Amino acid sequence: MQQTIIQSGTGVILSEAQLEESLNQTLRQHQPNSDIWLFVYGSLIWNPILNFAEQRIGKIYGWHRRFCLWVPQGRGTPENRGLVLGLDSGGSCRGIAYRIAAVDVSSELPLLWRREMVVGCYIPRWVRVFDGIQQLPAITFVVNRQHRAYTGEISLETTINSIATASGELGSCADYLLQTVNGLMKVGITDQQLLSLSKQVLSRQNQ
């Protein structure tokens, strides 16, 4: 497949053909003409931009929510990069599982792929979501550790400073953090690490 040479602030932008191939590869593990579950953990909680038939609170293991992706656009600038969430390896994560009805899969998933996969920061992955009653096979987007936007290990001070000060055309990183905290709390999920981080970010902004 020929790769696009269009560049973005975080790397090569994937072509429509590449996005389609990525989606098709992911769906090879899925039974055709059936509903699909999607596990979300960040902005898709408070800004889902997709039609779903049902939502459940669930937990996955082997991945945790972390500010681990640099963004020079959207929530930051090239001079002051922002940070956004990804699923990094290790630990566990509580989030929401959305059920996309079979009739909507062909229209909703391509739109989702264009939003989440366009610059290759994430990798689509099948995970098992535990909702307390069932195990739901679901698609989620984990961080691509080989991507140049991946932060690797950064200090808490760096994380706080970036979120407290970075802003772009989509708004500030601090708003992104607070919207995620509030979105989680609205569905009954308290993420103590994000709560602690939000307090430290607000403290940094008030200095």
Side-chain angles (χ1 to χ4, degrees):
M1 181 184 303
Q2 186 177 2
Q3 182 165 306
T4 178
I5 59 172
I6 299 173
Q7 299 289 317
S8 75
T10 52
V12 174
I13 296 176
L14 300 184
S15 67
E16 284 293 319
Q18 287 174 302
L19 291 172
E20 183 178 359
E21 176 60 21
S22 170
L23 176 55
N24 289 340
Q25 286 182 354
T26 304
L27 292 181
R28 284 173 190 161
Q29 301 181 49
H30 172 69
Q31 184 177 349
N33 302 315
S34 61
D35 297 353
I36 280 184
W37 288 92
L38 175 73
F39 179 78
V40 303
Y41 52 89
S43 62
L44 285 171
I45 288 176
W46 46 268
N47 185 24
I49 62 121
L50 77 163
N51 293 318
F52 55 89
E54 179 185 358
Q55 71 175 52
R56 299 186 193 179
I57 296 172
K59 189 174 187 178
I60 63 172
Y61 293 90
W63 303 92
H64 67 286
R65 180 172 30 236
R66 184 168 86 89
F67 279 90
C68 59
L69 282 170
W70 293 115
V71 286
Q73 299 170 339
R75 298 282 175 177
T77 64
E79 296 74 28
N80 187 17
R81 295 178 298 171
L83 282 169
V84 294
L85 290 165
L87 278 181
D88 210 349
S89 59
S92 62
C93 179
R94 294 185 74 202
I96 294 177
Y98 294 129
R99 180 172 61 84
I100 303 173
V103 67
D104 293 325
V105 167
S106 63
S107 60
E108 294 300 319
L109 286 191
L111 294 176
L112 181 67
W113 245 249
R114 290 188 191 105
R115 168 172 165 165
E116 300 299 316
M117 290 292 298
V118 66
V119 295
C121 292
Y122 298 107
I123 298 172
R125 185 182 181 96
W126 285 95
V127 293
R128 280 188 278 182
V129 182
F130 298 82
D131 71 351
I133 300 174
Q134 293 178 274
Q135 294 184 34
L136 308 170
I139 297 171
T140 195
F141 296 98
V142 306
V143 66
N144 178 0
R145 284 188 159 202
Q146 305 306 312
H147 198 280
R148 71 181 189 180
Y150 178 60
T151 63
E153 295 299 324
I154 57 174
S155 69
L156 177 59
E157 181 181 359
T158 298
T159 300
I160 292 169
N161 185 67
S162 176
I163 296 173
T165 63
S167 184
E169 65 266 23
L170 297 180
S172 70
C173 277
D175 283 344
Y176 172 94
L177 167 60
L178 293 175
Q179 285 177 303
T180 302
V181 169
N182 291 336
L184 288 166
M185 293 185 73
K186 282 180 181 178
V187 296
I189 299 173
T190 301
D191 186 313
Q192 293 294 347
Q193 288 187 321
L194 287 191
L195 277 174
S196 176
L197 182 60
S198 65
K199 291 176 182 177
Q200 293 174 87
V201 165
L202 289 174
S203 177
R204 167 68 175 80
Q205 290 180 322
N206 291 328
Q207 289 179 359

